[in-house]
Each structure stands twice: as structure tokens, then as C-alpha cells.
Amino acid sequence: MKIGRNIFRGALAFSLLVTGFLTSCGTATPLSKGAGSAYYENNIGDFFEAKLSNGIPVVFKRNSGSQIAVVRLLIEGGVPFVKYEKGGLEGITLDLMIHGSQKYSYQKIQRIEYEKSCSISASASKDYSVVGMNCIKRDFFDVLDVYADSILNPLFLDKDFNQNMKIIRENFVSNFADPSGRLGYAISSSVFKNHPYASTTSVNEKSVNNIVLSDVKNHHKGLLNASRMKFVIVGNFSTDEESSILLKLNEYFGGIESGEYVRPEIPEIQLDNRTVYVECESAGEIGYIEGIFKCPERASEDYIPFVLASMYVDDSLFKILREKNSALYSVGTGVVGARKLVGAVSLYKVSKSECVKDMVLEAISDFPSSEKEVKARLDAYKNKYITSIFESSQNASGIAGQVIGSLVYRDSATEYLYRTSQVHDVSAADVFAAYEKYFAPLVKKSPSQIKWIVLTGKGNTEKFEF
């Protein structure tokens, strides 16, 4: 067996598709590294990378002082590999994959999780999926055996599939009837129409009754492709322990073949300025509104200045729509997408339908008029941005999430370590320029630079003039 080794020491809850800026950590290509990155220097020695005999990369991140160990299997691909008519298939496959295996029944897995205070979980997203395990270090190899057998040898029983689909259908009906959930579906269908992201991570109105167990079994075979897989392991392991883990991983997963895989090309998201009105009976007279607009991609040098500019805009939105006019419950900005992005303004539970669009444009216009004014608040916003990015890194799961974000979107396990210096390097002039480029055009009423999705109760749409 040959194992290669290279050692080197926002958003609002109501929208299912809008992601806050602050936890975003991925791009397609690296931004500037930033000068004098102390965070990088303090952490880079905790990493090493290796490969299993079939080429699957393994990234270790040491987490000194912690007795919690995590493993994350990253499977690239995401929704571009799933037709809209089968939307949600990958998530369903992952759920059933950890619902009993040849060696471990679901009841036995539940008992192990209870007795060892461990967990095995899975999730699907736009560009990739993750299968993870968390456990106390002393139980690592026992839990790893359960984890590996779940991935490689799931039972996929008819009764489990039928029960799972029953719950999924019930949840879909509930979500589709709920204004928050229904808006998420409307955003997906209108923003990603004719785009690789058009397929959904959860079931949709076409797929909810269109997925059968044979779809799950076939999809699982496609997931077991060494060309799509990477492991991330975070724990307080010694060099000898890391070597033992590599040997065990190779024993489990080294036999997986490398099939054909080309990372999907994701084109820019095209927007029109036509307003979409959606009626949802349970919304009554309340509005749930999303404004979608062009924003920089995460690979762009404009991205971090854009994020910082959005913090000024967020404060103005809250001040004018919530505090001054009591027009809604909450408001904020974020991004929609994954490898490709668009910006979003989210208006949650709008109770004043008259002139709410004008209030939004007024708030966007209420930006500091000079670089000097921008500078007065810039350090506070930088600190907020940095804190929100790294607050999750206080535990092993959060660290693994940061590493995965860097791997998926920047092709580097350690690129996220530069984020602090990248934020600090942004000047007031950069933020002012980002506002002028991405936010200032939004206040032009004709032609509108924002695509609005407006959801409210039946017969109430005419009250919202967008």
C-alpha cells in the first residue's frame, strides 16, 4: 500500500436559499493573501495532507487540547448532477445511507450513538455533500467502523425508504404552505431558471412524488467515486495516531475506484427585472419579500469590500424600515447561490405595504457620503466580520467546516487562514468603491436593477407595488 504524505506546519431565517455574508468563506480562486497574517502563521503548523492509495485526499487539522474528534467526507458535485424532477435525491440518499448498514442496524447505531455520545450525520448543498462523524477521541476507531460501513454498505430497506418519504412529503406540504418556505421555492424557481442550480437540495413540487428506491441505490453508486471524495479530520492526534488513521481509512476506502468526474461549470446567474408575485394563503396581509441583484463573486477582489459595505446598508435598512417606519419585523442583506452568487435584500413580515420599496431605496441611498465617513465605522465592521467568521472555529466541527469551505471553493485546505488579514487590508476607499459599484445602481427606478419576489396572501398582491 502506498500512501502519499505532504506535511506542512447574515441572512434571515425565513429564506431557505439566502446565506448571510459573514460565514461565507469560499471562492473559486484565491484572493490576495494579505500581509503579515499572524493567524496563518499560528495555525499552518497544525495541518498535514495525505492521500489514500486510490488518490483520495485526506486533510488533518490538529486541534490541541480537545478530546473531540471529527471526520468529514466531502463529496463534490451537488445539484448540477441531479435533474429538477429528482430534486432532493442526494439528500434522501444520504439520509438513508446512515440509516442502517450491513454490519450495524439502525437500532444498533442509535444505541452506539447514545452509549458513546457520538453522532453520524449527512447533509447536501448546492456544490457538494458531507457525511460526518463526531466522537470522543478514545472511541474514534470504534465509531469510524460504524461510519465507514454506513457509507460503503447501506441497507436501503424498503420500509426505511417509505417511512422517510412519508415524512419528507409531510414536511414539503407544510413548508410549501408556510410563507417562509414557499418564498424559498419561489426564489429558487425564479432566480435559477435554466441554470445548473435550478435543481433543489430538498424535494420540490415535481420530485416529491417522483423518487423511488432504485433512484437512491443508483445515486449512491455515483457518490462512491474516489475522484469526487476528500476527507477532513480534526482532532488532537499525534503523528503516529494520524498514520494509524490513514491506514484504517485506506483499509475502508482505498478500494473505491476513480470514475469519470469533471467539476461542473457554473455560469453566471442571469437576472431580469420582472417582479414575481406569489400568493400564499397563510401569509394573509403580511409580505415576505426578496430583492435579488448583481454582486461580486467570492473570487473577486470586490467581495470583501462588498460585504463590509453591506453592513452599512444593513444598519440603514433596519433604521429606516424597522425603527423609523415600523414597516416590518426584520430586514437584512445576504447572498444567494454557491460557486456563483447574487446579492439579496430580505424583508421579513412586512406589515406596511405602502411605499415599502421606496423605504428600501431610501435606506440603500443612506450611505456615508465620503471615504472619511466610511472610515469612522470601518474598524467596528471589520471586527464584526472577523468575529463572525471565526467564532465557529472554537470547536472541531466549526474548524472542519472552515477547511471544507476552503477545499470546495478555493482548492486549498488552509486558504481560510488568510481571511483575517484579507479583511484588515480593505481600505475605506475600497468599501466606498464597492458601494458605488454594487449598491448605488439599485436606487435607480428605471430600469430597476433589482428583481423582486413578493409573497403575500391571496388577493393582497396589488397592495405591494414593486
Side-chain angles (χ1 to χ4, degrees), residues 108-121:
K108 189 172 184 179
I109 293 173
Q110 287 182 307
R111 185 171 68 252
I112 291 171
E113 288 184 325
Y114 175 76
E115 292 174 350
K116 295 185 178 297
S117 297
C118 64
S119 65
I120 297 173
S121 60

Side-chain angles (χ1 to χ4, degrees), residues 89 135 297 430:
L89 174 60
C135 66
E297 303 298 344
D430 295 332

Side-chain angles (χ1 to χ4, degrees), residues 168-432:
I168 285 172
R169 293 187 185 104
E170 291 172 351
N171 288 339
F172 173 78
V173 171
S174 177
N175 287 333
F176 205 75
D178 177 76
S180 302
R182 182 67 181 279
L183 180 63
Y185 292 112
I187 294 169
S188 182
S189 61
S190 58
V191 173
F192 299 126
K193 186 177 181 180
N194 300 321
H195 190 273
Y197 287 161
S199 188
T200 52
T201 55
S202 58
V203 294
N204 53 58
E205 70 279 4
K206 288 190 176 181
S207 68
V208 66
N209 293 308
N210 196 33
I211 294 174
V212 296
L213 184 55
S214 59
D215 294 326
V216 171
K217 293 179 179 179
N218 289 331
H219 194 74
H220 174 255
K221 293 176 183 177
L223 295 178
L224 297 184
N225 178 350
S227 299
R228 300 175 60 183
M229 302 169 77
K230 294 180 176 71
F231 281 99
V232 174
I233 300 175
V234 180
N236 187 22
F237 296 111
S238 67
T239 299
D240 287 344
E241 289 170 329
E242 289 164 346
S243 296
S244 296
I245 292 170
L246 282 171
L247 289 169
K248 185 57 71 172
L249 284 176
N250 202 77
E251 179 182 322
Y252 291 129
F253 299 101
I256 296 176
E257 296 182 357
S258 294
E260 292 184 6
Y261 172 70
V262 177
R263 179 179 288 175
E265 288 290 333
I266 308 298
E268 183 178 344
I269 300 167
Q270 300 297 322
L271 296 175
D272 58 54
N273 60 3
R274 293 193 296 271
T275 300
V276 175
Y277 290 96
V278 181
E279 290 187 343
C280 180
E281 185 175 355
S282 59
E285 297 184 355
I286 300 298
Y288 298 75
I289 302 169
E290 204 79 14
I292 307 297
F293 60 93
K294 292 290 185 181
C295 75
E297 303 298 344
R298 293 188 179 118
S300 170
E301 291 185 357
D302 289 344
Y303 183 72
I304 293 176
F306 170 76
V307 174
L308 292 168
S310 76
M311 296 181 181
Y312 296 80
V313 175
D314 280 348
D315 283 350
S316 293
L317 287 166
F318 189 84
K319 178 179 67 177
I320 291 174
L321 278 89
R322 174 66 187 267
E323 294 181 337
K324 179 180 176 181
N325 291 288
S326 300
L328 42 63
Y329 180 77
S330 189
V331 62
T333 57
V335 290
V336 175
R339 289 191 188 278
K340 297 296 183 180
L341 301 173
V342 286
V345 179
S346 303
L347 314 177
Y348 181 54
K349 289 189 175 180
V350 180
S351 55
K352 287 188 177 180
S353 56
E354 295 181 1
C355 301
V356 67
K357 180 181 177 181
D358 290 336
M359 295 179 202
V360 172
L361 300 184
E362 177 189 352
I364 294 173
S365 299
D366 185 33
F367 194 81
S369 58
S370 68
E371 293 176 19
K372 182 178 180 180
E373 291 183 40
V374 170
K375 189 175 182 179
R377 285 185 277 166
L378 185 54
D379 282 346
Y381 287 134
K382 286 182 177 181
N383 290 337
K384 179 181 178 182
Y385 189 10
I386 292 168
T387 299
S388 61
I389 289 173
F390 291 104
E391 63 184 354
S392 64
S393 298
Q394 298 178 41
N395 59 63
S397 295
I399 294 170
Q402 295 280 12
V403 175
I404 287 171
S406 274
L407 281 172
V408 171
Y409 295 115
R410 300 198 180 189
D411 295 318
S412 166
T414 60
E415 202 282 338
Y416 79 96
L417 299 176
Y418 289 107
R419 198 75 69 248
T420 299
S421 58
Q422 289 169 348
V423 174
H424 281 310
D425 286 350
V426 174
S427 67
D430 295 332
V431 175
F432 194 81

Side-chain angles (χ1 to χ4, degrees), residues 360-362 364-365 435 439-446 449-450:
V360 172
L361 300 184
E362 177 189 352
I364 294 173
S365 299
Y435 170 80
F439 285 105
L442 305 183
V443 303
K444 297 177 181 179
K445 296 185 178 181
S446 183
Q449 301 297 307
I450 305 180

